[in-house]
Amino acid sequence: MDKTVPPGAAILLDFIRETEVGRSDRASYDVIYGHNQAKLPQPLTTMTYGEIVDAQKGWSKRFRSSAAGGYQFMRATLIDLAKQVTTISGTDVFTPDLQDRLAYKLLLRRGYAEFIVGKISLVQFAENLAKEWASFPVLAATKGGERKVRRGHSYYAGDGLNKALVKPEKVEAVLKYALEAARRPHEPVDEPEARPVPKPKAKPVRKSGRFWTWLLTAGGTIVTGLRELNLVALDWRVQIAILVVIVGFAVYAITSMPAVRGALGLK
């Protein structure tokens, strides 16, 4: 089943496929009406959407129906779906996943979303399904496609071609099960935890070329300043002490003040 089909709908589509073609396995997607798929030059699931629609022109006369695939899509239905679902191209291969997505569109057309939220009854939704899939029975007497039909009959009973292939009690049970699955909270898919991005290590002060350039420049500027102020006449020990205090303050500013570190490229 295509992963984009919700759980409740997936249950229902598996049941529809099994009812329509008598099986729900991978081979069910290659079935055409009357199980005449062996008479085709290649399997349905290897043909393109456009090739199937073109081939269906002759199937109604040859096989009495153009129904194709696991959900027995009629030619008119495929043409209509191609108009509604603009992402479909005639070159798309008629894979099982594509058939699942198309059948889910049909479920939505027939009121699946309204059924899930309680806007239409189970009986009404079952009748809607019987209008789409002739093998499904109605669950209450109604005016069918050809005549008035009773519970358990195909909506198209009397057309000489279709009849219900499943008991109404089975349909009721599957619809209730699908409804329960659709309303059940689904566990979210666990997202992989994002790995923390390591912060770049601070470049040690001793490895910063900009720092040493600044320090030597500052030292030279200080010496020049002392000369300009005639402080060079001071005792050399005093000069060294003054220089040590200035350099110490500069180092303190660099190591403790982010703005200073940023200006010097020491992040």
Side-chain angles (χ1 to χ4, degrees):
M1 181 62 59
D2 184 86
K3 301 298 183 183
T4 64
V5 177
I11 291 170
L12 189 50
L13 290 181
D14 280 340
F15 178 59
I16 291 171
R17 206 165 63 255
E18 184 174 7
T19 302
E20 283 286 307
V21 303
R23 60 197 306 169
S24 59
D25 58 1
R26 171 62 176 75
S28 66
Y29 293 95
D30 283 307
V31 175
I32 68 170
Y33 183 81
H35 292 267
N36 288 299
Q37 56 270 17
K39 299 176 183 178
L40 300 180
Q42 66 186 93
L44 279 183
T45 51
T46 66
M47 297 172 67
T48 66
Y49 202 96
E51 288 172 341
I52 289 173
V53 171
D54 289 343
Q56 284 177 310
K57 291 179 182 178
W59 292 355
S60 294
K61 182 177 180 180
R62 185 180 178 188
F63 304 125
R64 299 183 65 202
S65 173
S66 64
Y71 304 99
Q72 295 293 274
F73 297 103
M74 305 296 288
R75 183 171 187 267
T77 301
L78 288 181
I79 293 173
D80 193 41
L81 282 170
K83 294 177 181 177
Q84 178 190 1
V85 186
T86 56
T87 55
I88 292 177
S89 166
T91 59
D92 290 341
V93 179
F94 204 55
T95 62
D97 281 352
L98 177 57
Q99 293 185 42
D100 290 338
R101 294 194 297 273
L102 293 173
Y104 180 51
K105 291 291 184 183
L106 295 181
L107 282 186
L108 293 174
R109 278 187 183 185
R110 294 299 181 177
Y112 174 76
E114 291 78 7
F115 170 59
I116 295 305
V117 299
K119 288 187 176 181
I120 62 174
S121 68
L122 186 147
V123 171
Q124 181 60 60
F125 182 52
E127 181 176 321
N128 293 351
L129 294 180
K131 291 176 181 178
E132 189 68 51
W133 288 283
S135 62
F136 269 55
V138 297
L139 301 184
T142 187
K143 174 66 173 68
E146 298 292 326
R147 56 178 170 79
K148 189 174 180 64
V149 294
R150 301 193 306 272
R151 171 182 164 87
H153 285 195
S154 168
Y155 182 83
Y156 299 99
D159 67 353
L161 185 64
N162 293 296
K163 65 178 181 179
L165 300 178
V166 63
K167 297 293 184 182
E169 294 79 14
K170 178 65 174 177
V171 173
E172 288 171 333
V174 172
L175 287 180
K176 289 177 181 178
Y177 180 50
L179 180 61
E180 179 185 352
R183 291 178 172 177
R184 186 185 308 131
H186 305 299
E187 294 185 5
V189 177
D190 292 333
E191 295 282 345
E193 293 185 3
R195 295 182 179 180
V197 178
K199 294 182 179 180
K201 294 182 179 180
K203 191 175 182 181
V205 173
R206 65 178 179 274
K207 293 184 180 180
S208 171
R210 184 182 295 183
F211 168 74
W212 287 112
T213 300
W214 176 87
L215 184 59
L216 292 174
T217 302
T221 302
I222 291 169
V223 172
T224 301
L226 290 174
R227 288 175 178 172
E228 292 294 330
L229 294 174
N230 292 322
L231 294 179
V232 289
L234 294 174
D235 185 78
W236 65 271
R237 288 182 290 265
V238 176
Q239 293 182 37
I240 291 176
I242 294 173
L243 184 60
V244 168
V245 170
I246 293 174
V247 172
F249 178 78
V251 172
Y252 170 77
I254 291 169
T255 57
S256 62
M257 298 180 183
V260 176
R261 291 178 60 79
L264 296 175
L266 304 174
K267 305 229 176 150

